Amino acid sequence: MSEEIYEKLREILDRHPAGCPPSPEIMEILKTFFTPEEARVALGLGFRPFPLEEVARRAGVDPEEACARLESLADKGVVFAREKDGVWGYALLPVMPGIFEFPYMKGLDPETRERLTPLWKSYLPKLSREFGTPEVSFSRIVPIQEEVESQPGVLPYDRVYDMIDRARVVGIARCACRELEQKCDAPREACMLFDETCTYLVERGFGRYLTKEEMKEKLREFDRAGLVHQINNVQERLTFVCNCCPCCCGLLRASLEWGNPNVFTSSGFIPENDPEMCNGCGICADDRCPVGAVRIEEERAVVDESRCIGCGLCVTGCPNRAMSLKKKVETAAPPLTTAEMGMRILQQKGKLERFLELLNP
């Protein structure tokens, strides 16, 4: 009976735009986080918050039991919780971003970490094949704003600082990908949080609040460290900013190693080299470009535009300021909202109807 409960839970998670493909690893992961009793209550959830009483009714348990189970799951980082107008609501989190990242942000006990790490390392390449479609990417690369704000053709959603300013509350937590892989010495506290998700995570001990100016300075710090900035691929509001290294980041590796070209889209900016300023030092090619798009020919940096993702690290890392970003690549406008992005991905995958069944209590 418990196996059936976990398969039902996996099937519900698979209705999310991020997906949850079947595998032995995800079943073991779900069993690690959800007791059979918790999984039964989780079957009463959807992907938007439902009041406690409604979850209890859907799950077929009394509200007191539902409350205890849901609070336990929320404290573990696998169920979202919020208070609105004095009423608590609970929702399923997707596998990513959510069930994978949040427990690593808070910290896992050694036994749980030892159990989960090989499972996630095996499962993430399978999961990443679900991200995005040829028409709608899951995330988007952005340079830091100083390098693009004066360029012709820059749009509001290219200005990451302005998007930070539109958030109600911001924070930061540890990067789950680097906690999992531990392949480099890049900053661990590098996952940026926004609005309701930020409040949920900080109030339950997964991260800490920042001021908006502190967050912008953190972005500059991460840029100096050579990290790629990725955001959710929408115009309206940020839900995350990942500051990524190519050796650990699940989103970068999904494209660079695991063969999913749909996971993120380029910023649309391409670096240009000034031959009068470039001395061919090779910093851009050897130390800064995460995708091997820059090479040195005849003591000058040359950019392979077909490989470039427009992160701008070659520009900010050039000691001679010989590189600059130009809006050259025509990219489709991102969806307006996260909801629109998700609906378009689901429609293109033929999964929309099944997802909509979960929206209404």
Side-chain angles (χ1 to χ4, degrees):
M1 182 62 180
S2 63
E3 291 292 329
E4 183 180 345
I5 290 174
Y6 290 111
E7 175 55 25
K8 286 181 178 178
L9 179 58
R10 186 208 63 79
E11 191 275 333
I12 292 173
L13 290 167
D14 194 46
R15 299 188 198 188
H16 189 274
C20 184
S23 80
E25 296 94 336
I26 192 58
M27 298 303 284
E28 291 303 311
I29 289 167
L30 294 178
K31 291 174 186 176
T32 300
F33 287 125
F34 297 79
T35 67
E37 296 78 13
E38 289 170 341
R40 179 184 175 189
V41 173
L43 295 180
L45 296 168
F47 290 110
R48 66 177 180 84
F50 293 157
L52 172 64
E53 292 75 11
E54 186 57 39
V55 179
R57 183 190 66 79
R58 288 162 60 102
V61 301
D62 65 71
E64 185 176 349
E65 179 185 351
C67 181
R69 306 298 186 199
L70 291 169
E71 280 296 306
S72 171
L73 292 168
D75 285 340
K76 286 188 275 190
V78 294
V79 161
F80 174 75
R82 75 170 186 197
E83 185 180 20
K84 186 176 181 181
D85 300 326
V87 176
W88 279 95
Y90 300 88
L92 278 175
L93 288 166
V95 178
M96 188 175 182
I99 292 174
F100 163 55
E101 291 91 341
F102 296 172
Y104 277 100
M105 290 176 179
K106 195 172 194 177
L108 297 165
D109 65 77
E111 182 179 346
T112 303
R113 187 184 191 107
E114 184 177 358
R115 181 181 184 188
L116 284 172
T117 292
L119 294 171
W120 280 122
K121 286 185 177 182
S122 178
Y123 188 65
L124 288 180
K126 302 173 185 179
L127 177 67
S128 75
R129 299 188 187 103
E130 301 287 315
F131 296 161
T133 69
E135 289 77 28
V136 184
S137 294
F138 181 77
S139 63
R140 181 163 52 90
I141 306 296
V142 290
I144 59 170
Q145 187 161 318
E146 290 93 336
E147 299 304 324
V148 300
E149 59 188 348
S150 63
Q151 291 295 321
V154 175
L155 296 165
Y157 52 80
D158 294 321
R159 302 174 183 267
V160 66
Y161 296 166
D162 293 357
M163 295 186 77
I164 290 171
D165 285 335
R166 293 202 293 274
R168 294 183 294 276
V169 62
V170 302
I172 195 166
R174 295 180 74 81
C175 169
C177 296
R178 283 194 280 281
E179 290 293 322
L180 174 71
E181 296 290 348
Q182 302 189 35
K183 291 181 177 178
C184 67
D185 59 0
R188 291 288 177 91
E189 190 187 51
C191 183
M192 293 178 165
L193 317 171
F194 299 86
D195 295 332
E196 285 187 336
T197 303
C198 176
T199 301
Y200 156 65
L201 290 171
V202 173
E203 294 300 319
R204 291 182 185 256
F206 294 80
R208 63 187 179 94
Y209 291 117
L210 295 177
T211 68
K212 293 173 182 179
E213 292 307 312
E214 286 173 334
M215 179 169 280
K216 294 171 192 176
E217 181 51 42
K218 280 286 184 183
L219 271 179
R220 290 186 281 268
E221 173 189 327
F222 296 149
D223 197 272
R224 291 192 292 270
L227 300 181
V228 177
H229 319 302
Q230 289 195 68
I231 66 174
N232 51 305
N233 186 29
V234 304
Q235 298 183 38
E236 188 178 59
R237 288 192 177 276
L238 293 171
T239 57
F240 66 83
V241 177
C242 292
N243 296 286
C244 304
C245 56
C247 57
C248 299
C249 171
L251 294 178
L252 284 180
R253 296 176 73 201
S255 174
L256 302 179
E257 295 182 37
W258 302 332
N260 182 353
N262 306 321
V263 62
F264 61 78
T265 188
S266 161
S267 71
F269 292 90
I270 293 292
E272 285 190 349
N273 177 269
D274 182 346
E276 299 298 319
M277 301 293 290
C278 181
N279 64 5
C281 69
I283 290 174
C284 54
D286 299 333
D287 300 334
R288 299 290 285 182
C289 182
V291 296
V294 185
R295 65 186 185 276
I296 304 299
E297 291 184 357
E298 299 180 356
E299 298 187 349
R300 178 188 171 190
V302 178
V303 178
D304 181 347
E305 295 187 10
S306 68
R307 300 188 66 175
C308 180
I309 60 176
C311 66
L313 292 179
C314 59
V315 175
T316 55
C318 179
N320 299 316
R321 300 296 292 173
M323 303 285 268
S324 60
L325 286 174
K326 305 295 181 185
K327 187 79 170 182
K328 280 192 171 181
V329 177
E330 291 298 325
T331 55
L336 183 61
T337 65
T338 300
E340 180 189 335
M341 179 186 73
M343 294 298 180
R344 286 172 59 183
I345 289 173
L346 289 167
Q347 188 171 39
Q348 290 162 20
K349 291 183 174 183
K351 297 170 64 175
L352 181 57
E353 185 175 348
R354 292 282 285 161
F355 176 80
L356 292 175
E357 291 174 1
L358 295 172
L359 290 185
N360 297 312

